[in-house]
Amino acid sequence: DWWQLWDEAEAQKYSLEWSPTRKEFPPMELVVGSIDTAFGEKEENDYSAMTVWGVWQDANRNPRAMLMFGWQKRVQLHGQEIERLPNEPLEVFKARRRENWGLVENVADICKRYKVNRLLIEDKARGIDVANEIKRLYTRERFGVQLVTPVKDKVARTHAVVSLFSDNGIWAPDTRWADMVITQCSSFPRAEHDDLHDTVTQVLLWMRSNGLLVRAEEVSAAEEEAGRYQPPPKRISARYGV
């Protein structure tokens, strides 16, 4: 219930369209991708998952975070090379090749489509491999790669971002992939898989620590502190008695 719905009525408030034929998000100040990688591609392992988030300002100029895309799949690091069949239509070939993409190819495609500025990857074995491959193959792209080291356990990290939700700061559209992300988050920690959930806490903690998402109470406190009288700093000579 804490997720704020981005739908047709909400989009119209910003002179934007959200319909079956055209879907527009508000202008984003920053777009961030967040990845949780599986340790392997076997069926018994977890999914590799990715969510894309945009930071925007609502009508009251409050910073908000919008879930722009969610994806999960069991895939290898790299996909298979697929050759075009004789007389195969180009669009059919592209779709068939896409089905055989690996994690690196899928991540790069999502980053390009959503114009990601920063790509967060958990600093673990498979995550390091993904980061290195993206840097090697897509060095000319606009998205920068950053390895993130988790602090504390998953439950503690989840509690740390709850205030962003309860403050109406987290938005998502009414789509099938958004429902997949929301359902997994609401089921944590009892869900069978938590890969999408982990991408959510990873990116929101990163945004919070970098001052991109500030709660209303924090803004008020900062404004109040800025309005207080601050005595001028002492000169260096006065500090050291010279």
Side-chain angles (χ1 to χ4, degrees):
D1 293 340
W2 284 336
W3 293 77
Q4 304 303 302
L5 178 63
W6 180 260
D7 57 7
E8 182 179 3
E10 199 65 38
Q12 288 178 351
K13 295 179 182 178
Y14 297 85
S15 300
L16 299 170
E17 183 178 348
W18 190 269
S19 66
T21 56
R22 186 176 181 84
K23 299 185 183 299
E24 294 179 322
F25 287 113
M28 300 300 174
E29 297 180 354
L30 182 72
V31 179
V32 183
S34 180
I35 302 174
D36 182 77
T37 60
F39 283 101
E41 63 276 358
K42 295 181 180 179
E43 284 298 311
E44 63 264 30
N45 288 340
D46 286 339
Y47 292 93
S48 289
M50 178 176 182
T51 51
V52 178
W53 296 78
V55 178
W56 59 292
Q57 290 190 348
D58 64 13
N60 297 317
R61 301 190 65 80
N62 294 311
R64 302 303 190 198
M66 176 77 72
L67 175 64
M68 300 177 69
F69 189 65
W71 170 90
Q72 68 175 10
K73 192 176 182 180
R74 291 187 178 96
V75 287
Q76 300 178 358
L77 184 62
H78 285 288
Q80 300 176 354
E81 289 293 333
I82 301 296
E83 295 184 2
R84 188 175 179 182
L85 301 175
N87 302 320
E88 183 179 23
L90 181 59
E91 291 303 315
V92 175
F93 168 63
K94 287 182 177 180
R96 192 164 59 88
R97 185 174 59 179
R98 180 186 293 268
E99 275 298 309
N100 287 274
W101 275 352
L103 178 58
V104 171
E105 292 79 17
N106 274 291
V107 167
D109 177 69
I110 293 171
C111 287
K112 292 176 185 177
R113 283 192 283 129
Y114 288 91
K115 297 179 172 57
V116 169
N117 304 112
R118 176 72 61 177
L119 182 60
L120 308 178
I121 306 176
E122 186 175 345
D123 191 359
K124 60 184 182 183
R126 177 55 66 93
I128 296 173
D129 292 340
V130 173
N132 289 338
E133 286 299 279
I134 289 178
K135 290 177 181 178
R136 181 176 69 87
L137 297 171
Y138 304 99
T139 185
R140 295 181 180 274
E141 298 295 336
R142 59 181 289 170
F143 47 88
V145 178
Q146 180 176 339
L147 289 171
V148 178
T149 302
V151 178
K152 300 182 179 180
D153 61 77
K154 292 186 179 185
V155 174
R157 297 200 297 270
T158 303
H159 282 298
V161 301
V162 164
S163 60
L164 298 176
F165 286 89
S166 60
D167 198 37
N168 299 330
I170 310 302
W171 290 68
D174 185 13
T175 63
R176 183 178 300 177
W177 50 260
D179 184 63
M180 177 178 64
V181 176
I182 294 170
T183 299
Q184 192 175 111
C185 288
S186 65
S187 304
F188 178 83
R190 299 178 181 85
E192 182 180 359
H193 298 285
D194 57 11
D195 316 285
L196 287 165
H197 162 274
D198 291 350
T199 71
V200 173
T201 56
Q202 176 173 261
V203 69
L204 294 183
L205 284 170
W206 183 85
M207 288 180 176
R208 183 81 183 274
S209 64
N210 283 277
L212 299 173
L213 294 179
V214 183
R215 299 180 62 208
E217 291 87 349
E218 295 170 332
V219 173
S220 299
E223 291 176 347
E224 183 179 343
E225 181 66 23
R228 293 176 179 171
Y229 172 74
Q230 299 289 338
K234 293 183 179 180
R235 297 190 176 209
I236 294 178
S237 58
R239 289 183 186 177
Y240 294 95
V242 295

